[in-house]
Amino acid sequence: MLASRYFMPTLKENPSEAQVPSHIYLIRAGFIRSLSAGIYEYLPLGLRVLRKIENIIRKRMDESGALELLLPILTPAELWKETGRWDVYGKELFRLKDRKDADFALGPTHEETITDLVRKNVRSYKDLPLNFYQIQTKFRDEARPRYGLIRGREFIMKDGYSFDVSEEDAIKTYEIMKDTYHKIFKDLKLDYLMVEADVGAIGGKFSHEFVVKVPSGEAHIVYCESCGYAANVEAAKFHHNKLPPEELQPLEKVYTPSVSSVEEVASFLKVPTQKIVKTLIYKADDKFVAVLIRGDREVNETKLANLLKALDVRPATSEELKELNIVEGFVGPIGLNLPIYGDYSIEGLYNFVVGANEKDYHYKNVNIGRDIKVEHFYDLASAKEKDPCPVCKAPLKETTGLEVGHIFLLGTKYSSAMKAYFTDKDGKEKPIIMGCYGIGVSRLMAAIVEQYHDDKGIIWPDVVAPFDLHILILNMKDEKSVKSGFEIYEEAKNLGIDVLLDDRDISPGAKFKDADLIGIPNRIVIGKSLNEGKVEYQRRDSQEKKMIDLDKVKEFLQTLK
RNA sequence: CGGAGUGUAGCUCAGGUGGGAGAGCACGUGCCUUGGGAGCACGGGGUCGCAGGUUCAAGUCCUGCCACUCCGACCA
């Protein structure tokens, strides 16, 4: 490819709209442009990278036995109404009407569409298993698109769906996809973690996320360096350290004027925060509940929502507390007329402090069973850095990650709702067991840049680079340079190397700056050393440089392939 | 969706108190130059986000709307 005939509009300055490295460099180096918030154009360079990423994914998916197909983006509302997601998905679903006023949605994901295809065409266990995937543009009207390709409203995703006759088989398929994902992210040279994840609104039995370790990541991860346990904090478990048992002390009401936060109460009463129990009131869909948790821990709203099978969980507002006759700042479980859910952290805790549900008073020496009734204890607390690992008890570490893949064992959530049944060997009709598997393809492009860049620009790993080799002819007025440059260019092309020749008549400095920005891994510079019959070879990643004799260039090019 | 900020040339931005629409870069032409975004000269380029209002006069003041960005909520 000749740079003089190519379209790679590079920018000298950082675009004002971009904050994170991937967004800044993908725009500056001419890979993408934004059209509207969270909507991007892929320019020729960007598309080349995208295709390389897609092909790595495609190769591994095909190897796994999954079948590629292509589903419509435009999907009728009826399918979404069957599973209830027409309402549940909310504003994130892009909706539109056709000329007959019928409702449609632009597909944000395709469980409904693929399940519809399968239910219409699969009758018997003999037709199963099936595993499909597609690489396609998805639409989600995100409340807050940000960070360029990291969170867009229109983006490219690889989504896959598996159909098995039994949970046992479905788990086997799930494991195959897990291995396939590991291969894909290794192929892409990413520094990533596979973590246990919450299934979220998509539902299902269990799931794993693949997250790339980057500072701009939105996922909070805890992981254990000694045994390898890793989980999204939404789902992370941890080992609870218990305080030693104590003799029960008599219940005591104490005056605590204007002392309400855990830290204030702890220092006022001179007790550790572990012996204070917070009573938190949440509104779960349309009901109120109380959660009891030790003072040094935080409630994980995702875990609470899962326990209560609620769609929406949030702390009660001050107004709501007033209506419930609860004294804000001194909330306590004694005499409280709400369902109480105890976190594991208060199981086996003795002589603790709670709010008295009366302004400026707390209770001391409260004990479960004697003073308050808590029948079950649940895992409702967020894991945090230094908590003991649930598997090996080593201290957990915390990091942020960018989710680039997510796999779910769905079970029968969609097949039951949409009546995707098959007839089993025993002649009985059963719902198909499903799994679904997503990879954010366009987000991967950003994730790679997040991990592979320096202060000059992008440093593409060889496998996804838009070109393999960048040839710079520094002086286009010099006939010898031009001749050698084009000869090397032709030789490289003949060897099947993807090569970009910078034959633009601009200053050498501008060519170097653009080359650094664009980040093609191998570079041949044709400049002054041509007088000694040599050209210069450089790597973008190591800045390694070496001189190559003109008559040895051909054999050198062989080593690049 | 709650809070905040920004919107002036292709890009980055400057334009106290109301009165000439500007700079650097980019772009075009010419000269010069060719190893890290060169130099000189000339030139083209604007619905000052949109609509309304105040005023003799609005980029500037007021109101409404829109877009973009940030923090948060949200995010199969």
Side-chain angles (χ1 to χ4, degrees):
Chain A
M1 186 61 64
L2 299 179
S4 62
R5 302 307 314 148
Y6 207 55
F7 184 66
M8 38 182 234
T10 54
L11 302 175
K12 261 191 188 176
E13 284 167 290
N14 288 348
S16 58
E17 77 214 54
Q19 323 292 327
V20 297
S22 63
H23 194 194
I24 291 170
Y25 285 137
L26 286 171
I27 290 176
R28 272 192 61 190
F31 287 74
I32 61 169
R33 282 293 183 270
S34 73
L35 178 63
S36 182
I39 302 177
Y40 289 88
E41 297 148 342
Y42 297 92
L43 311 191
L45 279 174
L47 185 63
R48 289 184 78 99
V49 174
L50 208 53
R51 289 282 181 260
K52 291 209 173 174
I53 295 171
E54 285 176 6
N55 285 335
I56 286 169
I57 294 171
R58 188 171 276 122
K59 174 167 163 271
R60 291 300 188 181
M61 289 302 293
D62 290 347
E63 276 172 17
S64 79
L67 305 172
E68 186 171 7
L69 48 55
L70 188 60
L71 301 169
I73 289 169
L74 203 52
T75 54
E78 282 66 33
L79 286 182
W80 297 91
K81 286 177 181 165
E82 270 191 72
T83 59
R85 290 210 288 183
W86 183 257
D87 298 317
V88 172
Y89 222 102
K91 287 189 170 176
E92 232 175 88
L93 192 63
F94 268 108
R95 295 157 208 255
L96 67 161
K97 287 178 186 291
D98 70 4
R99 64 205 294 161
K100 292 179 287 188
D101 216 32
D103 288 312
F104 283 81
L106 299 180
T109 175
H110 280 73
E111 283 80 13
E112 280 80 357
T113 316
I114 193 82
T115 304
D116 180 64
L117 176 74
V118 167
R119 72 177 166 183
K120 285 173 175 164
N121 296 284
V122 168
R123 301 267 70 88
S124 157
Y125 73 94
K126 292 175 192 165
D127 301 328
L128 296 169
L130 285 168
N131 189 0
F132 298 109
Y133 78 97
Q134 61 173 343
I135 295 174
Q136 185 199 45
T137 300
K138 298 284 188 265
F139 296 85
R140 290 181 197 176
D141 195 0
E142 295 284 350
R144 192 176 163 207
R146 66 180 120 176
Y147 303 149
L149 296 187
I150 287 175
R151 176 168 299 279
R153 295 194 294 171
E154 173 179 328
F155 59 98
I156 298 167
M157 176 163 140
K158 189 287 298 182
D159 50 325
Y161 308 90
S162 66
F163 300 84
D164 281 283
V165 295
S166 67
E167 183 160 310
E168 197 189 344
D169 283 5
I171 289 172
K172 280 184 199 157
T173 305
Y174 186 86
E175 291 301 324
I176 290 171
M177 294 316 298
K178 199 193 267 178
D179 288 344
T180 301
Y181 273 41
H182 278 301
K183 286 178 188 163
I184 289 168
F185 297 121
K186 280 182 188 141
D187 283 351
L188 292 168
K189 310 292 177 197
L190 287 167
D191 181 19
Y192 74 97
L193 279 173
M194 184 185 79
V195 305
E196 291 177 16
D198 179 62
V199 294
I202 197 164
K205 295 218 154 194
F206 57 82
S207 83
H208 289 86
E209 277 174 357
F210 292 78
V211 299
V212 173
K213 287 189 251 172
V214 297
S216 55
E218 294 174 310
H220 291 271
I221 305 300
V222 292
Y223 63 100
C224 173
E225 283 181 329
S226 75
C227 75
Y229 174 81
N232 191 305
V233 289
E234 287 179 350
K237 297 178 174 58
F238 59 94
H239 176 78
H240 284 266
N241 280 334
K242 299 284 177 201
L243 298 182
E246 297 174 18
E247 214 163 287
L248 268 50
Q249 304 292 320
L251 183 68
E252 195 185 326
K253 189 167 172 179
V254 288
Y255 181 55
T256 52
S258 305
V259 174
S260 56
S261 78
V262 169
E263 289 70 28
E264 286 165 1
V265 176
S267 68
F268 186 85
L269 295 177
K270 299 193 170 50
V271 293
T273 55
Q274 289 99 315
K275 291 193 68 177
I276 293 167
V277 169
K278 292 189 274 193
T279 307
L280 300 160
I281 311 298
Y282 282 91
K283 190 170 188 194
D285 293 338
D286 48 6
K287 308 184 305 201
F288 290 96
V289 298
V291 175
L292 296 188
I293 191 165
R294 219 167 66 182
D296 60 329
R297 305 230 59 109
E298 299 300 328
V299 172
N300 180 326
E301 292 178 14
T302 304
K303 287 183 180 179
L304 182 61
N306 288 342
L307 172 67
L308 302 174
K309 296 189 168 45
L311 289 173
D312 181 50
V313 166
R314 59 165 178 81
T317 62
S318 300
E319 291 73 34
E320 286 165 345
L321 290 178
K322 253 177 219 158
E323 281 167 32
L324 292 164
N325 261 327
I326 290 169
V327 185
E328 193 174 358
F330 300 90
V331 185
I334 298 177
L336 187 67
N337 190 22
L338 283 178
I340 291 179
Y341 293 88
D343 177 66
Y344 283 139
S345 60
I346 64 161
E347 188 177 22
L349 190 64
Y350 297 89
N351 301 323
F352 51 85
V353 175
V354 300
N357 207 21
E358 184 178 326
K359 189 163 167 34
D360 297 336
Y361 284 95
H362 279 80
Y363 282 113
K364 264 171 79 169
N365 299 329
V366 179
N367 285 286
I368 292 167
R370 186 188 68 184
D371 308 312
I372 53 173
K373 227 188 209 174
V374 181
E375 281 168 7
H376 298 286
F377 298 93
Y378 306 93
D379 174 26
L380 294 173
S382 283
K384 56 181 197 278
E385 179 127 345
K386 293 184 184 143
D387 280 339
C389 169
V391 179
C392 74
K393 298 187 186 174
L396 290 171
K397 294 215 159 196
E398 211 171 334
T399 185
T400 57
L402 175 60
E403 178 188 342
V404 290
H406 203 162
I407 58 178
F408 299 79
L409 186 67
L410 286 176
T412 60
K413 176 175 163 141
Y414 295 91
S415 51
S416 294
M418 296 180 67
K419 300 192 170 56
Y421 299 143
F422 70 100
T423 306
D424 208 347
K425 278 182 191 164
D426 57 11
K428 289 191 180 135
E429 216 169 49
K430 298 173 184 171
I432 305 175
I433 315 294
M434 291 174 60
C436 74
Y437 317 94
I439 291 179
V441 179
S442 42
R443 178 182 280 186
L444 269 176
M445 185 161 142
I448 293 167
V449 178
E450 290 291 328
Q451 287 198 340
Y452 290 95
H453 69 270
D454 61 15
D455 57 356
K456 294 177 184 162
I458 305 171
I459 306 171
W460 292 108
D462 295 65
V463 287
V464 295
F467 290 94
D468 304 317
L469 174 65
H470 202 169
I471 302 174
L472 311 187
I473 300 175
L474 293 188
N475 184 357
M476 284 301 293
K477 297 273 193 312
D478 180 54
E479 278 175 36
K480 264 171 64 187
S481 292
V482 173
K483 183 164 172 283
S484 299
F486 273 84
E487 276 170 15
I488 297 169
Y489 172 65
E490 291 300 332
E491 275 165 17
K493 274 205 301 189
N494 289 338
L495 288 167
I497 295 171
D498 277 335
V499 52
L500 180 66
L501 174 67
D502 197 340
D503 60 335
R504 295 173 299 171
D505 189 14
I506 56 174
S507 76
K511 292 191 183 189
F512 282 115
K513 292 287 184 191
D514 272 354
D516 288 341
L517 202 51
I518 292 167
I520 294 169
N522 301 293
R523 183 185 307 171
I524 287 177
V525 179
I526 297 162
K528 305 190 284 217
S529 58
L530 196 62
N531 292 326
E532 291 113 57
K534 291 178 199 294
V535 294
E536 185 177 317
Y537 168 74
Q538 303 178 357
R539 277 290 296 181
R540 177 64 178 92
D541 52 5
S542 61
Q543 298 292 338
E544 144 196 10
K545 292 182 183 182
K546 66 177 179 190
M547 305 306 292
I548 301 168
D549 290 333
L550 260 186
D551 53 9
K552 298 219 172 98
V553 167
K554 195 165 184 178
E555 50 191 274
F556 176 75
L557 288 176
Q558 303 269 11
T559 66
L560 293 183
K561 196 56 207 171

